[in-house]
Amino acid sequence: MLEELASTLGGDTLGQLAGVLGGNQWALQQANRDGEGILGHVFGQSRPRVEQQVQAASGLSSSMVTKLLPLLAPIVLGYLGKLLQG
């Protein structure tokens, strides 16, 4: 399953992160699309419950959690993919 998800990224996760942090709108949109896909694969219909648990555990607002999870998902998946390769 992780390999299938990793293939949906289709690129360099760290490069994408650099673009997002650099303010590149295209990179931000791409990261959001990738993240939404990953979250859909991993959590499916349980996503709202996961978001609520992240909100409760982190103290972040629900809107912040909703914005952050799609951005973090490709980073986490990329890291896990590198762990599996190495």
Side-chain angles (χ1 to χ4, degrees):
M1 181 171 146
L2 184 58
E3 292 83 10
E4 177 186 326
L5 290 173
S7 71
T8 66
L9 291 177
D12 174 28
T13 303
L14 292 179
Q16 213 175 38
L17 176 60
V20 168
L21 295 177
N24 181 320
Q25 280 301 105
W26 180 87
L28 179 60
Q29 291 170 350
Q30 186 64 40
N32 271 320
R33 277 193 297 273
D34 289 345
E36 290 293 338
I38 293 166
L39 293 173
H41 280 305
V42 173
F43 298 123
Q45 293 181 358
S46 298
R47 182 175 170 181
R49 189 175 34 195
V50 171
E51 289 178 350
Q52 289 172 349
Q53 291 174 343
V54 170
Q55 178 189 359
S58 68
L60 295 171
S61 69
S62 62
S63 64
M64 184 61 73
V65 169
T66 301
K67 290 176 187 177
L68 281 177
L69 283 182
L71 293 175
L72 293 174
I75 296 166
V76 171
L77 185 63
Y79 176 75
L80 292 174
K82 289 207 182 281
L83 284 178
L84 286 177
Q85 290 175 357

